[in-house]
Amino acid sequence: MTKANDSKPFQRLYAEITNICNWHCSFCPKSPRKFEEMPLERFKKLVVLARPLFEEMTFHVLGEPLLHSRFPDLLKCLEQEEMKLFLVTNGSQITKYQDELLNFSFLKQINFSLHGLTEREQEIDKRLKEVFSFCQKLSSQKPEVYINLRLWNLNKDENSKDLQQKVLSLIEKTFGVSLNPNVEIRLGKGKRIKDRIYLHQDTPFHWPSLDDKYLGNQIHCYGFHTQMAVLSDGAVVPCCLDYLGVNKLGSFEEIFPKLVELKQDASQVLNNSSLCQRCTFSRQRVKGESQ
């Protein structure tokens, strides 16, 4: 086992433990890939190979991670290798697994995608109460864990704005804070609610597509430099936005043993990628860092 304080070549590995989701939100792309979850035995291999290379693992790309049939066992694998977890979830299954997460020693951060609830008016009250109840428990029992409440639906239609306000009102009521519904993104997207609980508001996220406009071949991105992603079929891609596997490098069993060596060609791989040449995210990041 690699010691937890050893420096790693990469910061984060995005692991798509399943590409199956129980919701069909407008902001998530529709993938033609086969619906599947990563088998437990293969996930065990992934963690062992990833541990010397990455500081932390994020359960994210497509799919709802808490739908994985062996989710508690996945946490045990991470715990055995002392690997930190960054979890992204729509929150629909949080009550089912709250005990496992509250007792998990290596949870670093959890992001709740609350904007999905603004498209599910019939469930919004029930789900928000479940999520906020868990947030209060987690903040109390594990104050070191960051909790990010994402509401990425600014500038949408009036119905979404009404439901967005409902989310904000319940945050105010639950946590005893006052929120300004008029957010100026250029002045900052995040607001501290309480302790390490934050609200993060933004406009809907655009996933890159080969159909998008060509933007150039000088890519400045975290992909392949500080982070990588593994899809549910085990394929390695340089970035968590490559949900189709356009820039597939091979299986993690094949790629991870030589990943540090391959990193030397990261810029060339990204600059030559048709998908990266059309991605707006790296352009936004560079613009933001220059301000």
Side-chain angles (χ1 to χ4, degrees):
M1 181 188 301
T2 305
K3 293 186 180 297
N5 58 358
D6 287 349
S7 178
K8 309 295 188 302
F10 297 88
Q11 173 63 28
R12 182 177 299 166
L13 174 65
Y14 288 87
E16 185 187 64
I17 57 174
T18 178
N19 63 355
I20 301 167
C21 191
N22 54 335
W23 293 357
H24 303 284
C25 303
S26 61
F27 52 82
C28 271
K30 304 299 183 286
S31 173
R33 290 164 47 214
K34 171 187 173 184
F35 289 118
E36 61 184 332
E37 66 176 33
M38 187 178 294
L40 177 60
E41 291 304 315
R42 196 169 198 195
F43 180 78
K44 289 180 180 179
K45 294 178 184 177
L46 174 63
V47 176
V48 170
L49 289 174
R51 188 64 187 93
L53 297 169
F54 297 89
E55 296 286 349
E56 62 194 36
M57 182 177 290
T58 298
F59 285 172
H60 186 45
V61 177
L62 292 185
E64 169 51 47
L66 273 67
L67 287 179
H68 196 288
S69 62
R70 304 293 296 274
F71 184 77
D73 293 317
L74 304 188
L75 296 183
K76 291 177 183 177
C77 293
L78 293 174
E79 202 148 34
Q80 288 173 357
E81 292 296 324
E82 299 185 1
M83 193 162 196
K84 297 175 184 176
L85 175 64
F86 189 135
L87 177 64
V88 181
T89 175
N90 61 29
S92 63
Q93 309 296 306
I94 198 64
T95 300
K96 181 178 180 180
Y97 290 120
Q98 67 173 347
D99 290 340
E100 285 83 356
L101 288 167
L102 290 172
N103 291 317
F104 178 58
S105 303
F106 293 91
L107 184 61
K108 178 182 179 181
Q109 179 167 325
I110 181 168
N111 287 356
F112 288 99
S113 300
L114 300 184
H115 35 278
L117 282 170
T118 62
E119 298 181 10
R120 310 185 72 80
E121 189 170 1
Q122 302 302 317
E123 299 181 46
I124 190 167
D125 289 312
K126 177 179 183 292
R127 297 303 184 190
L128 284 176
K129 289 177 182 176
E130 291 173 348
V131 168
F132 294 164
S133 174
F134 172 80
C135 290
Q136 290 175 312
K137 292 175 184 176
L138 182 61
S139 181
S140 174
Q141 296 182 33
K142 293 183 177 294
E144 74 280 3
V145 176
Y146 286 92
I147 303 170
N148 201 359
L149 305 175
R150 287 178 169 179
L151 199 54
W152 291 1
N153 63 345
L154 297 179
N155 301 334
K156 290 199 74 175
D157 56 62
E158 288 303 317
N159 186 55
S160 291
K161 290 180 180 179
D162 290 342
L163 293 175
Q164 173 189 325
Q165 185 54 51
K166 193 169 190 176
V167 174
L168 296 177
S169 297
L170 193 52
I171 291 176
E172 290 179 325
K173 180 179 179 180
T174 302
F175 298 103
V177 295
S178 179
L179 300 173
N180 180 2
N182 301 312
V183 178
E184 289 193 54
I185 296 176
R186 63 183 181 84
L187 299 179
K189 305 174 185 179
K191 175 179 175 57
R192 180 173 173 270
I193 300 299
K194 176 185 178 183
D195 302 325
R196 291 192 173 182
I197 304 175
Y198 291 82
L199 171 66
H200 190 274
Q201 293 182 266
D202 204 345
T203 53
F205 182 79
H206 176 71
W207 290 77
S209 167
L210 293 175
D211 295 327
D212 290 342
K213 178 184 177 182
Y214 175 80
L215 299 173
N217 63 355
Q218 295 301 309
I219 313 302
H220 303 278
C221 183
Y222 295 122
F224 216 157
H225 292 284
T226 64
Q227 62 190 37
M228 304 287 291
V230 173
L231 303 180
S232 56
D233 62 359
V236 179
V237 291
C239 173
C240 64
L241 302 184
D242 187 4
Y243 67 95
L244 289 176
V246 174
N247 299 320
K248 190 181 300 185
L249 302 175
S251 70
F252 70 81
E253 293 96 336
E254 172 195 0
I255 295 299
F256 277 13
K258 53 185 179 182
L259 189 57
V260 174
E261 180 183 349
L262 293 174
K263 184 181 180 181
Q264 299 174 12
D265 298 322
S267 294
Q268 181 179 350
V269 171
L270 300 181
N271 290 342
N272 291 333
S273 163
S274 297
L275 184 66
C276 298
Q277 292 167 359
R278 289 161 173 77
C279 179
T280 60
F281 184 78
S282 61
R283 276 77 181 176
Q284 293 170 352
R285 184 176 74 84
V286 172
K287 180 180 179 181
E289 289 178 352
S290 65
Q291 292 177 345

